[in-house]
Amino acid sequence: VLSGSLEQTYLFAGQGGCGFVAPLKSLVATRKAGKSFMTLAEKELPMEPVLLPAGTPGFMVIGSENGRLLAFPSTEVKTLANGGQGVQLMVLEAGEQLSGVGFTPEAPVSLVVEGKGMTDITLKGDEWAKYVLHRARKGYQLPKKAVMRRLG
């Protein structure tokens, strides 16, 4: 359930690696039966929507189940007022899924991760810069094969 101003924008993504930006008002249905908003593959689940602060430039941060991380400018994601599938956010290997999505205005970035006794990682400076690329790339492996779950 999402609530807030109808003008607030969110990043909507599926575990298959595609996503888009849409305002909250796009989810409002006038029919009692609701409306179709996101196009997902069979057995694909949606990720938790990410609030994008109005007028704040920043980076989308995407994590994969194989422990890779990709960050790219938020302006690279299309805005789809009526929903749909969107654009490819991250290139995934066969059978791989997204593990987490987030938005940050700038570095340093704190990630909540799983793996080998780790609970969080803070990326700053050159560490952060190596993960900042363009959308639709594979990204780079996190230290110790940690898997991003969300931003901290």
Side-chain angles (χ1 to χ4, degrees):
V1 175
L2 294 175
S3 65
S5 166
L6 293 178
E7 300 305 317
Q8 287 179 320
T9 57
Y10 285 83
L11 169 65
F12 295 94
Q15 289 177 326
C18 290
F20 59 92
V21 172
L24 191 58
K25 66 183 173 187
S26 298
L27 295 172
V28 177
T30 55
R31 295 185 201 149
K32 192 174 183 181
K35 69 185 262 184
S36 175
F37 182 69
M38 275 185 81
T39 305
L40 299 172
E42 189 175 324
K43 297 186 180 180
E44 179 183 3
L45 297 174
M47 303 295 292
E48 184 176 334
V50 176
L51 176 64
L52 304 176
T56 304
F59 299 93
M60 302 294 189
V61 182
I62 314 293
S64 78
E65 288 289 341
N66 287 353
R68 291 182 290 115
L69 184 76
L70 174 66
F72 54 86
S74 59
T75 55
E76 292 185 14
V77 181
K78 284 184 183 180
T79 299
L80 300 178
N82 295 319
Q85 184 174 3
V87 295
Q88 188 173 27
L89 301 176
M90 182 180 210
V91 173
L92 300 172
E93 296 172 3
E96 185 180 18
Q97 297 180 340
L98 294 184
S99 62
V101 294
F103 172 83
T104 185
E106 59 189 39
V109 176
S110 180
L111 307 173
V112 176
V113 298
E114 287 180 4
K116 300 201 179 183
M118 302 177 80
T119 57
D120 67 339
I121 296 174
T122 300
L123 300 173
K124 55 187 171 189
D126 289 340
E127 287 178 303
W128 165 248
K130 87 175 195 180
Y131 297 102
V132 178
L133 301 167
H134 292 284
R135 70 167 187 80
R137 304 290 196 280
K138 278 192 166 190
Y140 284 100
Q141 191 73 43
L142 284 167
K144 299 182 184 177
K145 292 203 175 193
V147 175
M148 174 193 153
R149 293 298 174 201
R150 59 183 170 82
L151 295 183

